[in-house]
Amino acid sequence: MVELAKAIRKYPHPEVEFIFTHEPDKQSKDNSFKGTQSKIQRLNYHLDYFRWKEFQLPDLVKKHQPDVLICPDFVSPAASLPCRRLTVVHDAFFWQMPQNYPKWWRTYFLNLIKKGLKEKTEIITTTDYSKRSLEKHLGKNWPISVIYQCPKSLKAASDPQILKKLGLVNQSYFLHIGTFDKRKQLPLLTKTFAEFLKQTKSSKKLLLVGGPGQSAQMNDFPKVEKLVKELGLEKHVILPGFLSDGEIKALYEHAFAYLFPSENEGFGIPIPEAMGFGLPVIHSDQEALLEVADGAGLPFQTGNQEDLLEKMVLLDRDSELCQSLSEKGKIRSGDFSAQKFVEAFHQIILKPGL
């Protein structure tokens, strides 16, 4: 949402005027509902969200009378509206992976999604893979268009002090950035890295940046912590938690390669993000990741530890392969620019109504 808002302002269209319900920069810095929350805090968040989406937003539509309402977060109001709706549904995880969500919450959220799919609605999703997945679960009642996302702009100055803080000065390391959701397969990555060290006697480290998964059911952070201790990897695997944009930028600039073993993604923003920094990328052969990488990454069979290990060893030993992947990745990352991102929205907004 933040990157879309930035792109809208950076690349205006003479025939399109956007009205923001919130000031994007200010809203993105609101930490009211971030971090560890009690059940009461989580409930208050959902009540706040429901009130906003189902009552306040329809009132704003009546006030401003837009031609198109863009809802970039799965849910459009259940109320009848006079305008077209573009509802962004990033992936089909709620249908594909029910075990990862509390049953009551999943039922509630799916109900919100379905009630908002009405009238002149068009769904926007992130890859052809996500489109096929959504058609499988929602049918073809609503037209679905694919718009590739753009990575975070990371405009902050690079902060190389993070390298010193984490003991990575003049140190080669593999990088992964993201939450410890179960679908990210970070326990698999941790075990594979232990085998990589045994086989290669390498001094490389593994850096897993990010916080816990979104719920107790989805969170693999405790499992990774336990594996690090059991496998004696305390000096080899670094878990720094959340970091600033400047710190993230510095880590991208100095990493050896990016590892992305996820079993399910709707898009996979880390792939074009890492490629934009010239990093070779090893990723699972999950359909969305294959689509986004488009041959510029090094795929392995999803969930296959031996295949992942083989690709890590191959990359470690083959400098020409590293260089080739780096060059291909930089070219591929150009397909995910902010300008292309917002221009795709312009095209859909300006086409004849449904």
Side-chain angles (χ1 to χ4, degrees):
M1 287 186 272
V2 172
E3 296 309 312
L4 177 59
K6 288 179 181 177
I8 285 168
R9 287 177 165 168
K10 187 173 182 180
Y11 303 102
H13 191 287
E15 297 179 52
V16 182
E17 176 189 359
F18 284 92
I19 300 169
F20 292 96
T21 60
H22 299 74
E23 176 53 40
D25 290 337
K26 180 180 178 182
Q27 185 68 16
S28 66
K29 293 174 183 176
D30 183 355
N31 293 315
S32 301
F33 295 106
K34 292 182 181 177
T36 304
Q37 302 165 15
S38 66
K39 289 184 178 180
I40 294 296
Q41 287 174 312
R42 291 196 296 271
L43 178 60
N44 284 337
Y45 168 77
H46 290 303
L47 290 173
D48 222 29
Y49 180 83
F50 181 82
R51 182 168 54 249
W52 155 252
K53 185 68 73 168
E54 302 299 343
F55 296 99
Q56 293 172 273
L57 183 55
D59 283 344
L60 286 174
V61 170
K62 291 177 184 177
K63 177 183 177 181
H64 294 287
Q65 298 184 354
D67 299 295
V68 182
L69 172 67
I70 301 177
C71 292
D73 61 348
F74 290 78
V75 177
S76 175
S80 290
L81 301 174
C83 59
R84 289 172 61 201
R85 308 175 190 224
L86 300 183
T87 302
V88 182
V89 183
H90 296 82
D91 50 60
F93 294 166
F94 294 113
W95 295 274
Q96 294 172 326
M97 310 176 80
Q99 71 279 7
N100 283 2
Y101 305 93
K103 186 176 181 180
W104 69 268
W105 186 86
R106 176 177 174 271
T107 301
Y108 161 75
F109 203 72
L110 284 177
N111 192 47
L112 285 184
I113 293 173
K114 289 178 180 178
K115 285 185 178 298
L117 295 177
K118 61 192 303 180
E119 300 166 339
K120 293 177 287 184
T121 292
E122 181 169 347
I123 295 173
I124 308 294
T125 195
T126 54
T127 54
D128 290 321
Y129 163 73
S130 284
K131 178 179 179 177
R132 293 191 299 272
S133 300
L134 290 172
E135 286 177 341
K136 179 179 179 181
H137 295 282
L138 293 175
K140 298 184 179 181
N141 297 323
W142 314 105
I144 302 179
S145 298
V146 174
I147 297 180
Y148 283 159
Q149 295 172 269
C150 68
K152 196 171 183 179
S153 50
L154 291 177
K155 294 294 185 182
S158 179
D159 183 2
Q161 287 300 312
I162 189 63
L163 299 171
K164 185 175 180 180
K165 180 180 177 181
L166 299 178
L168 295 173
V169 176
N170 299 321
Q171 172 67 59
S172 186
Y173 56 92
F174 291 103
L175 179 64
H176 178 278
I177 300 173
T179 59
F180 282 70
D181 284 355
K182 287 186 181 298
R183 63 185 174 84
K184 300 292 186 179
Q185 293 285 289
L186 296 183
L188 172 77
L189 179 54
T190 304
K191 288 185 283 188
T192 307
F193 182 66
E195 291 301 316
F196 169 81
L197 293 179
K198 287 181 184 178
Q199 185 167 326
T200 63
K201 308 302 180 185
S202 172
S203 62
K204 285 185 173 65
K205 295 185 184 295
L206 173 63
L207 185 56
L208 305 178
V209 180
Q214 296 178 24
S215 69
Q217 288 171 269
M218 297 169 67
N219 183 24
D220 262 345
F221 188 78
K223 190 172 183 179
V224 170
E225 280 191 311
K226 184 179 179 182
L227 278 171
V228 168
K229 292 178 181 178
E230 289 178 349
L231 298 172
L233 297 173
E234 291 92 341
K235 295 182 179 180
H236 305 279
V237 176
I238 303 171
L239 309 172
F242 290 111
L243 299 175
S244 70
D245 284 358
E247 292 169 331
I248 293 291
K249 194 171 184 178
L251 293 176
Y252 269 129
E253 289 171 346
H254 293 87
F256 167 69
Y258 194 90
L259 303 177
F260 201 21
S262 181
E263 67 174 327
N264 198 7
E265 294 290 330
F267 181 79
I269 279 181
I271 286 183
E273 190 168 76
M275 287 180 174
F277 282 91
L279 290 183
V281 175
I282 297 176
H283 60 87
S284 62
D285 63 357
Q286 189 266 345
E287 288 182 61
L289 302 187
L290 287 173
E291 180 180 340
V292 170
D294 194 31
L298 185 62
F300 74 95
Q301 184 180 24
T302 303
N304 188 324
Q305 183 174 328
E306 291 184 5
D307 196 22
L308 173 56
L309 174 60
E310 181 180 314
K311 298 305 191 303
M312 290 172 67
V313 172
L314 177 62
L315 203 62
D316 181 58
R317 293 175 176 173
D318 193 336
S319 59
E320 289 186 5
L321 175 61
C322 287
Q323 184 62 31
S324 174
L325 289 172
S326 175
E327 292 170 359
K328 290 179 181 178
K330 284 182 179 179
I331 295 171
R332 179 57 174 161
S333 69
D335 294 328
F336 305 95
S337 69
Q339 185 171 359
K340 290 182 178 180
F341 184 37
V342 73
E343 285 178 351
F345 272 96
H346 289 156
Q347 289 177 11
I348 293 175
I349 290 167
L350 292 171
K351 76 179 183 181
L354 300 175

